[in-house]
């Protein structure tokens, strides 16, 4: 069913036949977040609006293959694990994302890693946003949607990728000034 928030965000009614552009899917161990060490099914969506200098998956910037929500949910169920991480690129660029996330959360814990430049309020309840606050050395710190800090929920997490002392000092100031530890589940450096 279509919520008022979806309508306001410009979404149209979508079924499990909704297709997303996917770079890859794979089974691995979660290496970041408070779920580090958990077996995890990864769905890496294609496309990104940023060009971080330290990007570890530049292949995700390119167009992917079309995969339906139904196919992705089935792959997750068949993986046999209870944790799924939807990442990219930037997953929030794809209009079918909220349909996918709603389908996945029926079968386990769902994380969405986002670069912080897009409005996280489109992430459905009970799906954790992993918000990457881009430090100055990323080359894209100015692209942050700072309103996302007000949108954080108690089960979301904030991540800083720190390359040097200047990044650390910047992140520490943001952490304190924005009271991030009070807004979400965890703040990770």
């Amino acid at each position: 069913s279509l919520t008022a928030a979806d309508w306001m965000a410009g979404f149209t009614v979508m079924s499990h036949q909704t297709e997303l552009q996917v770079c890859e899917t794979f089974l691995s161990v979660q290496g970041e977040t408070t779920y580090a060490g958990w077996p995890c099914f990864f769905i890496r969506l294609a496309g990104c609006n940023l060009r971080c200098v330290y990007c570890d998956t530049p292949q995700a910037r390119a167009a992917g293959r079309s995969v339906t929500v139904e196919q992705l949910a089935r792959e997750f169920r068949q993986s046999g694990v209870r944790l799924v991480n939807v990442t990219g690129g930037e997953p929030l660029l794809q209009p079918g994302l909220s349909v996918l996330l709603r389908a996945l959360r029926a079968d386990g814990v769902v994380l969405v890693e986002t670069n912080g430049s897009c409005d996280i309020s489109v992430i459905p309840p009970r799906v954790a946003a992993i918000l990457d606050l881009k430090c100055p050395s990323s080359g894209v710190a100015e692209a942050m949607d700072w309103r996302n800090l007000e949108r954080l929920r108690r089960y979301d997490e904030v991540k800083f990728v720190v390359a040097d002392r200047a990044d650390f000092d910047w992140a520490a100031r943001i952490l304190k000034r924005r009271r991030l530890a009070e807004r979400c589940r965890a703040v990770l450096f």
Side-chain angles (χ1 to χ4, degrees):
S1 68
L2 189 65
T3 68
D6 289 340
W7 181 261
M8 295 305 291
F11 288 98
T12 57
V13 176
M14 297 181 219
S15 70
H16 285 309
Q17 293 308 309
T18 298
E19 292 187 351
L20 292 103
Q21 294 300 303
V22 177
C23 177
E24 63 183 337
T25 60
F26 58 97
L27 187 60
S28 187
V29 175
Q30 177 59 255
E32 300 176 2
T33 81
T34 59
Y35 296 90
W38 286 37
C40 184
F41 184 73
F42 287 84
I43 300 172
R44 185 178 308 285
L45 298 181
C48 191
N49 58 330
L50 301 182
R51 298 295 183 263
C52 301
V53 298
Y54 52 68
C55 180
D56 63 355
T57 52
Q59 70 275 16
R61 295 178 190 155
R65 60 187 166 87
S66 292
V67 183
T68 66
V69 166
E70 184 177 312
Q71 290 170 302
L72 292 168
R74 185 177 334 111
E75 280 188 56
F76 173 45
R77 278 191 304 278
Q78 291 172 347
S79 74
V81 301
R82 299 280 301 147
L83 179 65
V84 60
N85 186 353
V86 180
T87 187
E90 175 49 56
L92 296 178
L93 294 175
Q94 297 206 32
L97 179 67
S98 74
V99 175
L100 173 64
L101 298 175
R102 284 182 171 91
L104 294 171
R105 74 178 177 199
D107 294 309
V109 176
V110 183
L111 311 176
V112 178
E113 284 196 56
T114 175
N115 66 26
S117 67
C118 300
D119 182 350
I120 65 170
S121 68
V122 300
I123 299 173
R126 299 186 333 271
V127 173
I130 310 301
L131 180 65
D132 186 356
L133 283 180
K134 298 297 183 185
C135 294
S137 73
S138 70
V140 294
E142 71 285 347
M144 289 298 309
D145 179 349
W146 290 100
R147 294 168 296 189
N148 279 333
L149 300 182
E150 302 301 321
R151 297 172 182 134
L152 289 168
R153 301 159 302 178
R154 61 178 174 72
Y155 46 83
D156 294 332
E157 299 182 13
V158 173
K159 175 178 74 169
F160 292 96
V161 176
V162 176
D164 54 29
R165 181 60 192 229
D167 278 356
F168 177 82
D169 292 342
W170 179 88
R173 283 191 305 274
I174 299 295
L175 171 68
K176 184 177 181 181
R177 186 177 307 138
R178 299 294 186 118
R179 300 168 55 176
L180 293 180
E182 298 170 27
R183 294 182 179 279
C184 59
R185 175 182 167 133
V187 178
L188 309 160
F189 281 65

